[in-house]
Amino acid sequence: MTDQAYNFAYLDEQTKRMIRRAILKGLAIPGYQVPFASREMPMPYGWGTGGVQVSAAVLTPDDRFKVIDQGADDTTNAVSIRSFFQRTAGVATTTATREATVIQTRHRIPEEPLTEGQILVYQVPIPEPLRFLEPRESETRKMHSLEEYGLMHVKLYEDISRHGHIATSYAYPVKVEGRYVMDPSPIPKFDNPKLGDMAAIQLFGAGREQRIYALPPYTRVISLDFEDHPFEPSKADHPCGMCAATDSYLDELIVDDAGGRMFVCSDTDYCEARQAAGHIGKDNGGKGAA
Amino acid sequence: MTPLLSVQGITKKYGAHIGCADVSFDLYPGEVMGIVGESGSGKSTLLGCMAGHLTPDAGKVVFDTRTDGPRDTLTMSEPERRMLGRTDWAFVHQHARDGLRMGVSAGGNVGERLMAVGERHYGDIRDKAIDWLGRVEIDADRVDDRPTTFSGGMQQRLQIARNLVTGPRLVFMDEPTGGLDVSVQARLLDLLRGLVRDMGLSAVIVTHDLAVVRLLADRLMVMKSGRVVEAGLTDQVLDDPQHAYSQLLVSSVLQV
Ligand SMILES: [Zn+2]
């Protein structure tokens, strides 16, 4: 039951309208960071207060809500955000990607392709991709408005000069519709190709930095690179030990005191659904098991 | 011949105080103009107005652009002016750290302007950066080091390389040898003279150091209290100054 001490989804209607205006503006100008007046939420920054406010503004009583943290539905962070909206909005929840209408995420895009009608809400710690080399907000704003993005390539240049290849593996910068350079939040670059041409709406909320940005469905999103160092989405070169998937992003787990390792899908829903469908990995009693 | 830069009646006031007043001159391609004076003479204010860092109260700064010919840069849109600032114009700051990214490698510093104008081939960018480090006498094996590990003289040479890599047609320099040891200054001056000669650079150099203009400038303007009190060929002004203030300046009586 909804806790009647709160308005639906915690935030008052006026605040939600303000956030929705920011979201609509973000959708109208894909990749552009829209300032919004972030509200105090009953959870600390770093717990996804930006994403929570965006979710609060888009949730309706009919929605089915899913929360993932690094791909998993059962981390403390994911559980607490899910129960927050259960309590304050009374919405149904799910762990199944395809059943969810709104998915709030930290650090991953689900493996299962999203569909029209779904909304993916990202928690964003630092929305400004130019921040690390240019600390002045007035200057980064000007760089965006004048499309002066040479600095982004300086960052990639530094990567290659130091590591021999582009070592940035999370929060890999992208260019949206040939215009705005955007930080996709700290998702692995493996997920970058899913950002583009996605059927679902993608919304990004940064609470502490008070920014919202968005990708409408089927937006063109290109990962920045050099001609002689092209972008490569990378993952561990193993099948999943539990479901044998070869196309999913894997976490490396230490499984015993002897330093034994196994690779498992970071997307727990994807992995479990594959196992339920009969796909069994080698660490799960499948073919090639020890 | 069309001047590369035509400065017309530049005036900048700070309240009742005059920064610079009614300064005009033409700079032709391949020419180096020196502007000398004490601190407070208005030479830095003038430089700031010309380079677009300050907005003058009156006057024009007309630059002969590649595409549209002479244009007043003061009435250009900001995007156009900033584009000029990373293509045809360069600015060498007195303090290298104002003109460098201290957290970025030497190669990244030199490569930034190339990337800013759309170069997207890492190998080419790096080759050009190494070539330019060589031209300013920095070893190629320092290409991945940050400027924080460089001496003051090396930092200044790196700043010059970073500015010249895109082949700018006009370079503004603000006390380029200021704050460096005398022996380091001499080496930097030799280097600058070589670059000016080899590249046929057009430049405006503001300095209090007459040795700098003696070596680099074709023509000279002497400023005092915001106004130009004497202008002419460098050797003429230095060897046979007409204005009383220029005479004091040249005789080194003034502590400039
Ligand atoms: Zn799996």
Side-chain angles (χ1 to χ4, degrees), chain B residues 90-112:
Chain B
F91 195 102
V92 176
H93 294 262
Q94 174 177 3
H95 301 291
R97 56 178 54 241
D98 294 337
L100 292 172
R101 292 195 188 276
M102 299 306 280
V104 169
S105 70
N109 264 288
V110 178
E112 181 175 346

Side-chain angles (χ1 to χ4, degrees), chain B residues 107-151:
Chain B
N109 264 288
V110 178
E112 181 175 346
R113 275 173 80 108
L114 297 171
M115 294 182 249
V117 296
E119 291 212 18
R120 292 292 178 264
H121 190 285
Y122 173 84
D124 290 351
I125 293 165
R126 190 175 174 80
D127 288 347
K128 283 182 193 171
I130 288 172
D131 174 51
W132 264 99
L133 291 183
R135 292 206 220 178
V136 298
E137 300 167 11
I138 295 174
D139 282 343
D141 61 10
R142 302 299 304 269
V143 65
D144 294 330
D145 295 345
R146 293 186 178 187
T148 41
T149 67
F150 288 8
S151 69

